[in-house]
Amino acid sequence: MKWIQHPLQKEKKLFGQFDHVRIYGQDYPKILENFGFKVTAYNPKQEGEDEKIAQFAINPLENIYMAIK
């Protein structure tokens, strides 16, 4: 009998959690720019804002992209 995996287990394995599946590639800012947005990368860890990282549960290894049109 073949093992049937629950969809939430698959999402957790692939994306690190079952309720959030948005993982963007390194080309994400370029994709936004191609749609006419001006994109700025911001990393709270590099800015020394450890309090915000904890408060908002931000991954300190990832940039936050701000896009303005």
Side-chain angles (χ1 to χ4, degrees):
M1 187 162 122
K2 186 177 178 182
W3 171 259
I4 299 174
Q5 189 176 37
H6 191 278
L8 296 181
Q9 291 173 326
K10 180 180 178 184
E11 289 177 6
K12 186 167 184 174
K13 181 178 179 183
L14 292 174
F15 302 108
Q17 60 193 87
F18 71 89
D19 62 345
H20 184 81
V21 294
R22 285 175 260 151
I23 295 182
Y24 301 103
Q26 295 296 319
D27 61 344
Y28 181 62
K30 190 68 174 168
I31 291 170
L32 292 172
E33 289 170 351
N34 289 340
F35 281 97
F37 288 92
K38 180 181 176 195
V39 180
T40 305
Y42 168 75
N43 187 300
K45 183 70 175 173
Q46 291 175 352
E47 300 294 327
E49 299 189 38
D50 294 330
E51 185 176 308
K52 286 185 180 178
I53 292 170
Q55 179 181 1
F56 298 112
I58 297 169
N59 182 342
L61 302 177
E62 295 181 356
N63 287 330
I64 296 171
Y65 295 102
M66 295 177 276
I68 300 171
K69 194 164 192 179

Short mmCIF file of all heavy atoms in Angstrom, two decimals:
data_model
loop_
_atom_site.label_atom_id
_atom_site.label_comp_id
_atom_site.label_asym_id
_atom_site.label_seq_id
_atom_site.Cartn_x
_atom_site.Cartn_y
_atom_site.Cartn_z
N MET A 1 0.84 -1.18 0.00
CA MET A 1 0.00 0.00 0.00
C MET A 1 0.88 1.25 0.00
O MET A 1 1.84 1.34 0.76
CB MET A 1 -0.90 -0.01 1.23
CG MET A 1 -1.91 1.09 1.21
SD MET A 1 -3.24 0.73 2.38
CE MET A 1 -3.14 2.14 3.40
N LYS A 2 0.57 2.20 -0.86
CA LYS A 2 1.35 3.42 -0.99
C LYS A 2 1.02 4.39 0.15
O LYS A 2 -0.14 4.55 0.52
CB LYS A 2 1.04 4.07 -2.34
CG LYS A 2 1.90 5.26 -2.63
CD LYS A 2 1.58 5.80 -4.01
CE LYS A 2 2.43 7.03 -4.26
NZ LYS A 2 2.15 7.64 -5.53
N TRP A 3 2.05 5.01 0.68
CA TRP A 3 1.89 6.00 1.75
C TRP A 3 1.24 7.26 1.18
O TRP A 3 1.67 7.81 0.18
CB TRP A 3 3.24 6.34 2.35
CG TRP A 3 3.21 7.49 3.29
CD1 TRP A 3 3.60 8.77 3.02
CD2 TRP A 3 2.76 7.49 4.64
NE1 TRP A 3 3.42 9.56 4.10
CE2 TRP A 3 2.91 8.80 5.14
CE3 TRP A 3 2.24 6.54 5.48
CZ2 TRP A 3 2.56 9.17 6.42
CZ3 TRP A 3 1.90 6.91 6.76
CH2 TRP A 3 2.06 8.20 7.22
N ILE A 4 0.17 7.72 1.79
CA ILE A 4 -0.51 8.95 1.38
C ILE A 4 -0.16 10.02 2.40
O ILE A 4 -0.46 9.88 3.58
CB ILE A 4 -2.03 8.76 1.27
CG1 ILE A 4 -2.35 7.69 0.23
CG2 ILE A 4 -2.71 10.08 0.94
CD1 ILE A 4 -3.81 7.32 0.16
N GLN A 5 0.47 11.08 1.91
CA GLN A 5 0.90 12.15 2.81
C GLN A 5 -0.14 13.26 2.82
O GLN A 5 -0.66 13.66 1.78
CB GLN A 5 2.24 12.70 2.33
CG GLN A 5 2.86 13.66 3.30
CD GLN A 5 4.24 14.10 2.83
OE1 GLN A 5 4.47 14.29 1.66
NE2 GLN A 5 5.14 14.26 3.77
N HIS A 6 -0.46 13.73 4.00
CA HIS A 6 -1.40 14.83 4.15
C HIS A 6 -0.80 16.09 3.51
O HIS A 6 0.39 16.36 3.67
CB HIS A 6 -1.67 15.07 5.64
CG HIS A 6 -2.81 16.00 5.89
ND1 HIS A 6 -2.66 17.36 5.85
CD2 HIS A 6 -4.11 15.75 6.16
CE1 HIS A 6 -3.83 17.92 6.09
NE2 HIS A 6 -4.72 16.97 6.29
N PRO A 7 -1.59 16.89 2.77
CA PRO A 7 -1.06 18.09 2.11
C PRO A 7 -0.34 19.05 3.06
O PRO A 7 0.65 19.67 2.67
CB PRO A 7 -2.31 18.75 1.53
CG PRO A 7 -3.30 17.67 1.40
CD PRO A 7 -3.00 16.69 2.50
N LEU A 8 -0.81 19.17 4.30
CA LEU A 8 -0.15 20.08 5.23
C LEU A 8 1.24 19.59 5.61
O LEU A 8 2.14 20.39 5.84
CB LEU A 8 -1.01 20.28 6.48
CG LEU A 8 -2.37 20.96 6.26
CD1 LEU A 8 -3.11 21.11 7.58
CD2 LEU A 8 -2.21 22.29 5.57
N GLN A 9 1.43 18.27 5.67
CA GLN A 9 2.76 17.73 5.96
C GLN A 9 3.72 18.06 4.82
O GLN A 9 4.87 18.40 5.04
CB GLN A 9 2.69 16.22 6.16
CG GLN A 9 1.98 15.80 7.42
CD GLN A 9 1.79 14.30 7.49
OE1 GLN A 9 1.60 13.63 6.48
NE2 GLN A 9 1.84 13.77 8.70
N LYS A 10 3.23 17.95 3.59
CA LYS A 10 4.06 18.26 2.42
C LYS A 10 4.48 19.74 2.45
O LYS A 10 5.63 20.07 2.21
CB LYS A 10 3.29 17.95 1.14
CG LYS A 10 4.08 18.24 -0.11
CD LYS A 10 3.26 17.90 -1.35
CE LYS A 10 4.04 18.24 -2.59
NZ LYS A 10 3.25 18.01 -3.80
N GLU A 11 3.52 20.63 2.72
CA GLU A 11 3.84 22.05 2.79
C GLU A 11 4.87 22.35 3.87
O GLU A 11 5.78 23.14 3.68
CB GLU A 11 2.58 22.88 3.00
CG GLU A 11 1.68 22.91 1.79
CD GLU A 11 0.39 23.66 2.03
OE1 GLU A 11 0.23 24.28 3.10
OE2 GLU A 11 -0.47 23.63 1.13
N LYS A 12 4.73 21.71 5.01
CA LYS A 12 5.68 21.94 6.09
C LYS A 12 7.08 21.48 5.68
O LYS A 12 8.07 22.15 5.95
CB LYS A 12 5.24 21.24 7.38
CG LYS A 12 6.14 21.58 8.54
CD LYS A 12 5.56 21.16 9.85
CE LYS A 12 6.49 21.62 10.95
NZ LYS A 12 5.96 21.38 12.27
N LYS A 13 7.16 20.35 5.02
CA LYS A 13 8.45 19.84 4.58
C LYS A 13 9.09 20.75 3.52
O LYS A 13 10.27 21.06 3.59
CB LYS A 13 8.29 18.43 4.02
CG LYS A 13 9.59 17.81 3.56
CD LYS A 13 9.38 16.39 3.05
CE LYS A 13 10.69 15.81 2.58
NZ LYS A 13 10.50 14.48 2.02
N LEU A 14 8.28 21.20 2.57
CA LEU A 14 8.82 22.02 1.47
C LEU A 14 9.08 23.47 1.87
O LEU A 14 10.05 24.07 1.42
CB LEU A 14 7.85 22.00 0.29
CG LEU A 14 7.70 20.68 -0.44
CD1 LEU A 14 6.61 20.78 -1.50
CD2 LEU A 14 9.02 20.27 -1.09
N PHE A 15 8.20 24.04 2.70
CA PHE A 15 8.26 25.47 2.95
C PHE A 15 8.56 25.85 4.39
O PHE A 15 8.61 27.01 4.73
CB PHE A 15 6.95 26.12 2.52
CG PHE A 15 6.63 25.89 1.07
CD1 PHE A 15 5.61 25.03 0.71
CD2 PHE A 15 7.36 26.50 0.07
CE1 PHE A 15 5.31 24.80 -0.63
CE2 PHE A 15 7.07 26.28 -1.25
CZ PHE A 15 6.05 25.42 -1.61
N GLY A 16 8.73 24.86 5.28
CA GLY A 16 9.10 25.15 6.66
C GLY A 16 7.93 25.36 7.59
O GLY A 16 8.10 25.38 8.79
N GLN A 17 6.74 25.55 7.05
CA GLN A 17 5.55 25.65 7.87
C GLN A 17 4.34 25.37 6.98
O GLN A 17 4.40 25.51 5.77
CB GLN A 17 5.43 27.01 8.55
CG GLN A 17 5.38 28.20 7.61
CD GLN A 17 5.58 29.49 8.34
OE1 GLN A 17 6.70 29.90 8.53
NE2 GLN A 17 4.50 30.14 8.74
N PHE A 18 3.24 24.94 7.60
CA PHE A 18 2.11 24.49 6.81
C PHE A 18 1.19 25.62 6.35
O PHE A 18 0.41 25.46 5.43
CB PHE A 18 1.28 23.45 7.58
CG PHE A 18 0.52 24.03 8.74
CD1 PHE A 18 -0.75 24.52 8.57
CD2 PHE A 18 1.10 24.10 9.99
CE1 PHE A 18 -1.45 25.07 9.63
CE2 PHE A 18 0.41 24.64 11.06
CZ PHE A 18 -0.88 25.12 10.88
N ASP A 19 1.27 26.79 6.98
CA ASP A 19 0.32 27.84 6.67
C ASP A 19 0.92 29.01 5.89
O ASP A 19 0.32 30.06 5.78
CB ASP A 19 -0.32 28.35 7.96
CG ASP A 19 0.69 28.97 8.91
OD1 ASP A 19 1.90 28.75 8.71
OD2 ASP A 19 0.27 29.66 9.85
N HIS A 20 2.11 28.82 5.35
CA HIS A 20 2.77 29.91 4.64
C HIS A 20 3.68 29.30 3.58
O HIS A 20 4.65 28.64 3.91
CB HIS A 20 3.59 30.74 5.64
CG HIS A 20 4.23 31.94 5.02
ND1 HIS A 20 3.54 33.11 4.81
CD2 HIS A 20 5.47 32.16 4.56
CE1 HIS A 20 4.35 33.99 4.26
NE2 HIS A 20 5.53 33.43 4.09
N VAL A 21 3.35 29.50 2.33
CA VAL A 21 4.11 28.83 1.27
C VAL A 21 4.77 29.81 0.30
O VAL A 21 5.18 29.43 -0.77
CB VAL A 21 3.22 27.83 0.48
CG1 VAL A 21 2.79 26.70 1.37
CG2 VAL A 21 2.02 28.52 -0.13
N ARG A 22 4.88 31.05 0.67
CA ARG A 22 5.51 32.02 -0.23
C ARG A 22 7.00 32.09 0.03
O ARG A 22 7.46 32.67 1.00
CB ARG A 22 4.88 33.39 -0.02
CG ARG A 22 3.50 33.48 -0.64
CD ARG A 22 2.87 34.80 -0.31
NE ARG A 22 1.97 34.50 0.79
CZ ARG A 22 1.63 35.33 1.74
NH1 ARG A 22 2.10 36.53 1.76
NH2 ARG A 22 0.83 34.97 2.69
N ILE A 23 7.75 31.49 -0.83
CA ILE A 23 9.21 31.59 -0.79
C ILE A 23 9.63 32.13 -2.15
O ILE A 23 9.35 31.53 -3.18
CB ILE A 23 9.87 30.24 -0.50
CG1 ILE A 23 9.49 29.78 0.90
CG2 ILE A 23 11.39 30.34 -0.65
CD1 ILE A 23 10.11 28.48 1.33
N TYR A 24 10.27 33.28 -2.15
CA TYR A 24 10.61 33.96 -3.39
C TYR A 24 12.06 33.67 -3.78
O TYR A 24 12.93 33.55 -2.93
CB TYR A 24 10.39 35.46 -3.25
CG TYR A 24 8.97 35.81 -2.89
CD1 TYR A 24 8.62 36.17 -1.60
CD2 TYR A 24 7.98 35.73 -3.85
CE1 TYR A 24 7.31 36.48 -1.27
CE2 TYR A 24 6.66 36.04 -3.53
CZ TYR A 24 6.34 36.41 -2.25
OH TYR A 24 5.05 36.71 -1.93
N GLY A 25 12.32 33.65 -5.08
CA GLY A 25 13.66 33.43 -5.58
C GLY A 25 14.47 34.71 -5.57
O GLY A 25 13.96 35.81 -5.30
N GLN A 26 15.74 34.58 -5.91
CA GLN A 26 16.63 35.73 -5.96
C GLN A 26 16.23 36.73 -7.04
O GLN A 26 16.65 37.88 -7.03
CB GLN A 26 18.07 35.26 -6.19
CG GLN A 26 18.63 34.42 -5.05
CD GLN A 26 18.76 35.21 -3.76
OE1 GLN A 26 19.16 36.37 -3.77
NE2 GLN A 26 18.43 34.58 -2.65
N ASP A 27 15.40 36.29 -7.99
CA ASP A 27 14.95 37.16 -9.07
C ASP A 27 13.72 37.99 -8.71
O ASP A 27 13.22 38.77 -9.52
CB ASP A 27 14.67 36.34 -10.32
CG ASP A 27 13.57 35.30 -10.12
OD1 ASP A 27 13.24 34.99 -8.96
OD2 ASP A 27 13.08 34.78 -11.13
N TYR A 28 13.22 37.86 -7.50
CA TYR A 28 12.00 38.55 -7.08
C TYR A 28 12.06 40.07 -7.29
O TYR A 28 11.14 40.64 -7.89
CB TYR A 28 11.68 38.20 -5.62
CG TYR A 28 10.43 38.83 -5.09
CD1 TYR A 28 9.19 38.56 -5.65
CD2 TYR A 28 10.48 39.72 -4.02
CE1 TYR A 28 8.03 39.14 -5.16
CE2 TYR A 28 9.33 40.29 -3.53
CZ TYR A 28 8.11 40.00 -4.09
OH TYR A 28 6.98 40.58 -3.61
N PRO A 29 13.14 40.76 -6.86
CA PRO A 29 13.18 42.21 -7.09
C PRO A 29 13.14 42.56 -8.57
O PRO A 29 12.48 43.51 -8.98
CB PRO A 29 14.50 42.65 -6.46
CG PRO A 29 14.88 41.56 -5.54
CD PRO A 29 14.28 40.30 -6.07
N LYS A 30 13.81 41.78 -9.39
CA LYS A 30 13.84 42.04 -10.83
C LYS A 30 12.45 41.86 -11.44
O LYS A 30 12.04 42.63 -12.31
CB LYS A 30 14.86 41.12 -11.50
CG LYS A 30 15.13 41.47 -12.92
CD LYS A 30 15.86 42.80 -12.98
CE LYS A 30 16.27 43.11 -14.39
NZ LYS A 30 16.71 44.49 -14.51
N ILE A 31 11.72 40.86 -10.98
CA ILE A 31 10.36 40.65 -11.47
C ILE A 31 9.49 41.86 -11.15
O ILE A 31 8.74 42.35 -12.01
CB ILE A 31 9.75 39.37 -10.86
CG1 ILE A 31 10.47 38.14 -11.41
CG2 ILE A 31 8.25 39.29 -11.13
CD1 ILE A 31 10.12 36.85 -10.69
N LEU A 32 9.60 42.38 -9.93
CA LEU A 32 8.84 43.57 -9.55
C LEU A 32 9.24 44.78 -10.41
O LEU A 32 8.38 45.55 -10.85
CB LEU A 32 9.04 43.89 -8.07
CG LEU A 32 8.45 42.89 -7.08
CD1 LEU A 32 8.89 43.23 -5.66
CD2 LEU A 32 6.94 42.84 -7.18
N GLU A 33 10.53 44.93 -10.63
CA GLU A 33 11.02 46.04 -11.47
C GLU A 33 10.48 45.93 -12.89
O GLU A 33 10.15 46.94 -13.52
CB GLU A 33 12.54 46.08 -11.47
CG GLU A 33 13.11 46.52 -10.14
CD GLU A 33 14.62 46.34 -10.03
OE1 GLU A 33 15.24 45.72 -10.93
OE2 GLU A 33 15.18 46.82 -9.03
N ASN A 34 10.38 44.72 -13.41
CA ASN A 34 9.85 44.51 -14.76
C ASN A 34 8.38 44.93 -14.86
O ASN A 34 7.90 45.21 -15.95
CB ASN A 34 10.00 43.05 -15.19
CG ASN A 34 11.44 42.68 -15.48
OD1 ASN A 34 12.28 43.54 -15.72
ND2 ASN A 34 11.74 41.40 -15.45
N PHE A 35 7.68 44.97 -13.73
CA PHE A 35 6.29 45.42 -13.71
C PHE A 35 6.19 46.91 -13.34
O PHE A 35 5.10 47.41 -13.05
CB PHE A 35 5.47 44.58 -12.74
CG PHE A 35 5.07 43.25 -13.31
CD1 PHE A 35 5.81 42.12 -13.02
CD2 PHE A 35 3.97 43.14 -14.14
CE1 PHE A 35 5.46 40.89 -13.55
CE2 PHE A 35 3.60 41.93 -14.68
CZ PHE A 35 4.35 40.79 -14.39
N GLY A 36 7.31 47.61 -13.34
CA GLY A 36 7.30 49.05 -13.15
C GLY A 36 7.48 49.54 -11.72
O GLY A 36 7.32 50.72 -11.44
N PHE A 37 7.83 48.66 -10.81
CA PHE A 37 8.05 49.07 -9.43
C PHE A 37 9.51 49.48 -9.21
O PHE A 37 10.41 48.93 -9.84
CB PHE A 37 7.74 47.91 -8.46
CG PHE A 37 6.27 47.62 -8.34
CD1 PHE A 37 5.66 46.67 -9.16
CD2 PHE A 37 5.50 48.28 -7.40
CE1 PHE A 37 4.32 46.39 -9.04
CE2 PHE A 37 4.14 48.01 -7.28
CZ PHE A 37 3.56 47.06 -8.10
N LYS A 38 9.71 50.44 -8.33
CA LYS A 38 11.05 50.77 -7.85
C LYS A 38 11.25 49.96 -6.58
O LYS A 38 10.46 50.09 -5.62
CB LYS A 38 11.17 52.26 -7.56
CG LYS A 38 12.54 52.65 -7.07
CD LYS A 38 12.63 54.12 -6.75
CE LYS A 38 14.02 54.39 -6.19
NZ LYS A 38 14.09 55.68 -5.54
N VAL A 39 12.27 49.13 -6.54
CA VAL A 39 12.45 48.17 -5.44
C VAL A 39 13.68 48.53 -4.61
O VAL A 39 14.75 48.80 -5.15
CB VAL A 39 12.60 46.73 -5.99
CG1 VAL A 39 12.79 45.73 -4.86
CG2 VAL A 39 11.39 46.36 -6.84
N THR A 40 13.49 48.52 -3.30
CA THR A 40 14.58 48.75 -2.36
C THR A 40 14.63 47.57 -1.39
O THR A 40 13.60 47.16 -0.86
CB THR A 40 14.35 50.05 -1.56
OG1 THR A 40 14.17 51.13 -2.46
CG2 THR A 40 15.51 50.34 -0.64
N ALA A 41 15.83 47.03 -1.20
CA ALA A 41 16.01 45.93 -0.25
C ALA A 41 16.35 46.50 1.11
O ALA A 41 17.10 47.47 1.23
CB ALA A 41 17.12 45.00 -0.72
N TYR A 42 15.79 45.90 2.13
CA TYR A 42 16.02 46.33 3.52
C TYR A 42 16.25 45.08 4.36
O TYR A 42 15.52 44.10 4.25
CB TYR A 42 14.80 47.09 4.03
CG TYR A 42 14.80 47.34 5.51
CD1 TYR A 42 15.62 48.31 6.06
CD2 TYR A 42 13.96 46.62 6.35
CE1 TYR A 42 15.61 48.54 7.43
CE2 TYR A 42 13.94 46.85 7.71
CZ TYR A 42 14.77 47.81 8.25
OH TYR A 42 14.77 48.04 9.58
N ASN A 43 17.29 45.09 5.17
CA ASN A 43 17.56 43.97 6.06
C ASN A 43 17.73 44.51 7.47
O ASN A 43 18.73 45.17 7.77
CB ASN A 43 18.81 43.20 5.63
CG ASN A 43 18.98 41.94 6.44
OD1 ASN A 43 19.12 42.00 7.66
ND2 ASN A 43 18.97 40.81 5.78
N PRO A 44 16.76 44.26 8.35
CA PRO A 44 16.84 44.80 9.71
C PRO A 44 18.07 44.34 10.48
O PRO A 44 18.57 45.06 11.33
CB PRO A 44 15.57 44.31 10.38
CG PRO A 44 14.74 43.65 9.35
CD PRO A 44 15.56 43.49 8.13
N LYS A 45 18.57 43.14 10.20
CA LYS A 45 19.75 42.64 10.89
C LYS A 45 20.96 43.51 10.56
O LYS A 45 21.73 43.90 11.43
CB LYS A 45 20.01 41.17 10.52
CG LYS A 45 21.19 40.55 11.25
CD LYS A 45 20.87 40.37 12.72
CE LYS A 45 21.98 39.64 13.44
NZ LYS A 45 21.76 39.60 14.88
N GLN A 46 21.11 43.83 9.27
CA GLN A 46 22.23 44.68 8.85
C GLN A 46 22.10 46.10 9.39
O GLN A 46 23.09 46.79 9.56
CB GLN A 46 22.33 44.71 7.33
CG GLN A 46 22.76 43.38 6.75
CD GLN A 46 22.74 43.37 5.24
OE1 GLN A 46 22.28 44.30 4.59
NE2 GLN A 46 23.26 42.30 4.66
N GLU A 47 20.87 46.51 9.65
CA GLU A 47 20.62 47.84 10.21
C GLU A 47 20.72 47.86 11.73
O GLU A 47 20.52 48.89 12.35
CB GLU A 47 19.24 48.34 9.76
CG GLU A 47 19.07 48.45 8.25
CD GLU A 47 19.95 49.52 7.64
OE1 GLU A 47 20.21 50.54 8.29
OE2 GLU A 47 20.39 49.31 6.49
N GLY A 48 20.97 46.69 12.33
CA GLY A 48 21.11 46.61 13.78
C GLY A 48 19.79 46.72 14.53
O GLY A 48 19.77 47.17 15.68
N GLU A 49 18.71 46.32 13.91
CA GLU A 49 17.39 46.45 14.52
C GLU A 49 16.91 45.10 15.05
O GLU A 49 15.85 44.59 14.66
CB GLU A 49 16.42 47.05 13.52
CG GLU A 49 16.86 48.44 13.08
CD GLU A 49 15.83 49.16 12.27
OE1 GLU A 49 14.63 49.03 12.59
OE2 GLU A 49 16.21 49.85 11.33
N ASP A 50 17.65 44.52 15.98
CA ASP A 50 17.31 43.21 16.54
C ASP A 50 15.95 43.20 17.23
O ASP A 50 15.26 42.19 17.23
CB ASP A 50 18.40 42.75 17.50
CG ASP A 50 19.72 42.48 16.79
OD1 ASP A 50 19.68 42.09 15.61
OD2 ASP A 50 20.77 42.65 17.42
N GLU A 51 15.57 44.32 17.82
CA GLU A 51 14.27 44.38 18.50
C GLU A 51 13.12 44.17 17.51
O GLU A 51 12.17 43.45 17.79
CB GLU A 51 14.11 45.74 19.19
CG GLU A 51 12.85 45.84 20.02
CD GLU A 51 12.78 47.17 20.75
OE1 GLU A 51 13.75 47.52 21.45
OE2 GLU A 51 11.74 47.85 20.61
N LYS A 52 13.23 44.77 16.32
CA LYS A 52 12.18 44.60 15.30
C LYS A 52 12.16 43.16 14.78
O LYS A 52 11.09 42.63 14.48
CB LYS A 52 12.38 45.57 14.15
CG LYS A 52 12.01 46.98 14.50
CD LYS A 52 12.11 47.88 13.31
CE LYS A 52 11.74 49.30 13.69
NZ LYS A 52 11.87 50.23 12.56
N ILE A 53 13.32 42.55 14.68
CA ILE A 53 13.40 41.16 14.22
C ILE A 53 12.61 40.27 15.16
O ILE A 53 11.81 39.44 14.72
CB ILE A 53 14.87 40.70 14.12
CG1 ILE A 53 15.56 41.44 12.98
CG2 ILE A 53 14.96 39.20 13.93
CD1 ILE A 53 17.05 41.26 12.94
N ALA A 54 12.79 40.45 16.45
CA ALA A 54 12.06 39.66 17.44
C ALA A 54 10.58 40.02 17.46
O ALA A 54 9.72 39.14 17.47
CB ALA A 54 12.67 39.85 18.82
N GLN A 55 10.28 41.30 17.43
CA GLN A 55 8.90 41.76 17.52
C GLN A 55 8.04 41.26 16.37
O GLN A 55 6.90 40.84 16.56
CB GLN A 55 8.86 43.29 17.54
CG GLN A 55 7.46 43.88 17.63
CD GLN A 55 7.48 45.40 17.61
OE1 GLN A 55 8.52 46.04 17.52
NE2 GLN A 55 6.30 45.98 17.68
N PHE A 56 8.59 41.29 15.16
CA PHE A 56 7.81 40.92 13.98
C PHE A 56 8.15 39.54 13.42
O PHE A 56 7.70 39.17 12.35
CB PHE A 56 7.98 41.98 12.89
CG PHE A 56 7.49 43.34 13.30
CD1 PHE A 56 8.38 44.39 13.50
CD2 PHE A 56 6.14 43.57 13.51
CE1 PHE A 56 7.94 45.63 13.89
CE2 PHE A 56 5.69 44.81 13.90
CZ PHE A 56 6.58 45.85 14.09
N ALA A 57 8.97 38.78 14.16
CA ALA A 57 9.36 37.41 13.76
C ALA A 57 9.93 37.40 12.35
O ALA A 57 9.56 36.59 11.51
CB ALA A 57 8.19 36.46 13.90
N ILE A 58 10.86 38.30 12.11
CA ILE A 58 11.50 38.41 10.80
C ILE A 58 12.67 37.45 10.73
O ILE A 58 13.43 37.30 11.68
CB ILE A 58 12.00 39.86 10.57
CG1 ILE A 58 10.81 40.83 10.57
CG2 ILE A 58 12.81 39.98 9.30
CD1 ILE A 58 11.21 42.28 10.61
N ASN A 59 12.84 36.81 9.58
CA ASN A 59 14.01 35.97 9.36
C ASN A 59 15.20 36.90 9.11
O ASN A 59 15.24 37.61 8.10
CB ASN A 59 13.79 35.06 8.15
CG ASN A 59 14.96 34.13 7.91
OD1 ASN A 59 16.06 34.34 8.40
ND2 ASN A 59 14.73 33.11 7.12
N PRO A 60 16.19 36.92 10.00
CA PRO A 60 17.30 37.86 9.87
C PRO A 60 18.20 37.57 8.67
O PRO A 60 19.03 38.40 8.30
CB PRO A 60 18.07 37.72 11.18
CG PRO A 60 17.71 36.36 11.67
CD PRO A 60 16.31 36.09 11.20
N LEU A 61 18.05 36.42 8.05
CA LEU A 61 18.87 36.08 6.89
C LEU A 61 18.25 36.51 5.57
O LEU A 61 18.86 36.36 4.51
CB LEU A 61 19.11 34.56 6.85
CG LEU A 61 19.78 33.97 8.10
CD1 LEU A 61 19.87 32.47 7.98
CD2 LEU A 61 21.14 34.60 8.32
N GLU A 62 17.05 37.06 5.62
CA GLU A 62 16.35 37.45 4.39
C GLU A 62 16.12 38.96 4.33
O GLU A 62 15.92 39.60 5.35
CB GLU A 62 14.99 36.75 4.30
CG GLU A 62 15.10 35.26 4.15
CD GLU A 62 13.74 34.61 4.03
OE1 GLU A 62 12.71 35.30 4.14
OE2 GLU A 62 13.71 33.39 3.84
N ASN A 63 16.14 39.47 3.12
CA ASN A 63 15.81 40.88 2.91
C ASN A 63 14.31 41.05 2.87
O ASN A 63 13.57 40.14 2.53
CB ASN A 63 16.38 41.38 1.57
CG ASN A 63 17.88 41.56 1.62
OD1 ASN A 63 18.44 41.86 2.67
ND2 ASN A 63 18.53 41.36 0.50
N ILE A 64 13.88 42.26 3.19
CA ILE A 64 12.51 42.67 3.00
C ILE A 64 12.55 43.65 1.83
O ILE A 64 13.38 44.55 1.79
CB ILE A 64 11.96 43.37 4.26
CG1 ILE A 64 11.93 42.39 5.42
CG2 ILE A 64 10.58 43.96 3.99
CD1 ILE A 64 11.60 43.03 6.75
N TYR A 65 11.67 43.42 0.86
CA TYR A 65 11.68 44.28 -0.33
C TYR A 65 10.52 45.27 -0.25
O TYR A 65 9.38 44.89 0.00
CB TYR A 65 11.57 43.43 -1.60
CG TYR A 65 12.78 42.57 -1.78
CD1 TYR A 65 12.74 41.21 -1.46
CD2 TYR A 65 13.98 43.08 -2.23
CE1 TYR A 65 13.86 40.42 -1.60
CE2 TYR A 65 15.10 42.31 -2.38
CZ TYR A 65 15.03 40.96 -2.07
OH TYR A 65 16.16 40.18 -2.20
N MET A 66 10.86 46.53 -0.46
CA MET A 66 9.85 47.58 -0.52
C MET A 66 9.70 47.97 -1.98
O MET A 66 10.70 48.30 -2.64
CB MET A 66 10.28 48.77 0.33
CG MET A 66 10.35 48.41 1.81
SD MET A 66 10.94 49.76 2.83
CE MET A 66 12.71 49.54 2.64
N ALA A 67 8.49 47.92 -2.48
CA ALA A 67 8.22 48.21 -3.88
C ALA A 67 7.26 49.38 -3.98
O ALA A 67 6.20 49.38 -3.36
CB ALA A 67 7.65 46.99 -4.57
N ILE A 68 7.63 50.39 -4.75
CA ILE A 68 6.82 51.58 -4.94
C ILE A 68 6.59 51.77 -6.43
O ILE A 68 7.51 51.67 -7.23
CB ILE A 68 7.52 52.83 -4.35
CG1 ILE A 68 7.75 52.63 -2.84
CG2 ILE A 68 6.70 54.09 -4.62
CD1 ILE A 68 8.60 53.69 -2.22
N LYS A 69 5.35 52.11 -6.77
CA LYS A 69 5.04 52.35 -8.18
C LYS A 69 4.58 53.77 -8.36
O LYS A 69 3.94 54.36 -7.57
CB LYS A 69 3.94 51.40 -8.64
CG LYS A 69 3.80 51.34 -10.13
CD LYS A 69 2.99 50.14 -10.52
CE LYS A 69 3.14 49.94 -12.01
NZ LYS A 69 2.40 48.79 -12.47
#
